């Protein structure tokens, strides 16, 4: 399952890259058309907006798999290993519930908007909301796989804290240099 999710996320990364390239072509092409030829592609704004929404949801799925979302770990890192495991399971249960809510809400929006057509492209607006469905199903699978790893004891104690505060990742420690000089004495002393 781990390899399947890894390959799936690699495919999502490639798709995000393609969506980004297509958005650049659509938006830049529309700017050039308007500036130089006093015309434009009406469909470019609508389609690029839809591509952006899809790219955000697909990218969020990839980041979820890589455990890259921001979080706060200042309490959890100070707990014993068994309490870290409990906190992780509780956090994943909460995320499963929220993802379930997103899945049901996205599905409702897909059903409500299946007959509604976008004003320029004429595509069904349900395609816009289907991005939430893809994200939710993918995230449910990722969370269930991660929860199985926790419950089965397949994670080391270092892996139980799945987030790091951004300050810790940005901290740079420079080695001391040979020509380091002591600070100058304060003349007022």
């Amino acid at each position: 399952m781990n390899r399947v999710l890894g390959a799936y996320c690699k495919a999502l990364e490639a798709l995000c890259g393609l969506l980004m390239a297509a958005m650049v072509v659509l938006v830049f092409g529309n700017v050039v058309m308007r500036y130089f030829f006093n015309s434009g592609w009406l469909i470019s704004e609508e389609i690029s907006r839809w591509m952006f929404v899809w790219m955000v949801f697909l990218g969020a799925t990839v980041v979820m798999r890589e455990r890259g979302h921001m979080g706060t770990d200042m309490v959890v890192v100070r707990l014993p290993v068994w309490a870290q495991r409990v906190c992780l399971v509780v956090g994943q249960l909460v995320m499963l519930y929220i993802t379930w809510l997103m899945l049901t809400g996205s599905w409702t929006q897909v059903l409500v908007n299946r007959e509604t057509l976008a004003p320029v492209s004429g595509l069904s607006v349900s395609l816009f909301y289907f991005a939430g469905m893809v994200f939710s199903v993918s995230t449910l699978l990722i969370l269930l796989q991660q929860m199985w790893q926790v419950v089965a004891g397949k994670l080391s104690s270092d892996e139980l804290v799945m987030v790091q505060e951004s300050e810790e990742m940005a901290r740079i420690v420079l080695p001391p240099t040979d020509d380091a000089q002591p600070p100058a004495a304060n003349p007022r002393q």
Side-chain angles (χ1 to χ4, degrees):
M1 175 94 166
N2 203 14
R3 269 189 258 143
V4 172
L5 284 175
Y8 176 66
C9 286
K10 286 290 182 194
L12 291 182
E13 285 180 30
L15 185 56
C16 283
L18 290 174
L19 288 172
M20 176 64 85
M23 285 185 336
V24 167
V25 168
L26 284 171
V27 172
F28 183 72
N30 200 27
V31 168
V32 169
M33 292 285 290
R34 286 184 183 185
Y35 186 75
F36 290 111
F37 302 109
N38 203 20
S39 69
W41 302 321
L42 293 177
I43 201 169
S44 95
E45 286 184 39
E46 186 174 288
I47 296 298
S48 61
R49 183 174 54 245
W50 285 25
M51 287 179 175
F52 181 72
V53 168
W54 272 89
M55 187 182 66
V56 167
F57 277 108
L58 297 178
T61 301
V62 172
V63 173
M64 179 65 156
R65 170 80 163 86
E66 295 172 352
R67 299 175 182 149
H69 288 288
M70 288 178 42
T72 303
D73 66 348
M74 67 183 182
V75 173
V76 178
V77 295
R78 291 175 173 82
L79 296 175
V81 173
W82 68 268
Q84 288 179 356
R85 191 175 304 276
V86 169
C87 286
L88 183 56
V89 169
V90 169
Q92 287 178 327
L93 287 172
V94 171
M95 287 189 288
L96 280 168
Y97 176 67
I98 292 169
T99 304
W100 175 256
L101 291 176
M102 182 135 183
L103 177 67
T104 57
S106 296
W107 178 245
T108 302
Q109 288 298 316
V110 166
L111 293 177
V112 167
N113 289 295
R114 68 177 182 257
E115 304 279 329
T116 306
L117 301 178
V120 178
S121 65
L123 296 171
S124 174
V125 176
S126 64
L127 291 172
F128 185 79
Y129 294 103
F130 195 70
M133 295 277 307
V134 172
F135 167 78
S136 299
V137 170
S138 302
T139 302
L140 280 172
L141 292 174
I142 291 168
L143 286 171
L144 288 172
Q145 188 250 354
Q146 288 177 353
M147 186 175 289
W148 168 251
Q149 288 178 334
V150 174
V151 172
K154 296 185 178 191
L155 294 180
S156 68
S157 60
D158 295 336
E159 295 174 312
L160 291 176
V161 179
M162 292 196 167
V163 296
Q164 289 182 344
E165 293 185 31
S166 61
E167 290 177 9
E168 290 178 10
M169 294 189 317
R171 191 176 301 154
I172 299 174
V173 178
L174 298 174
T177 59
D178 291 336
D179 58 334
Q181 299 176 3
N186 189 350
R188 293 185 186 164
Q189 290 181 347

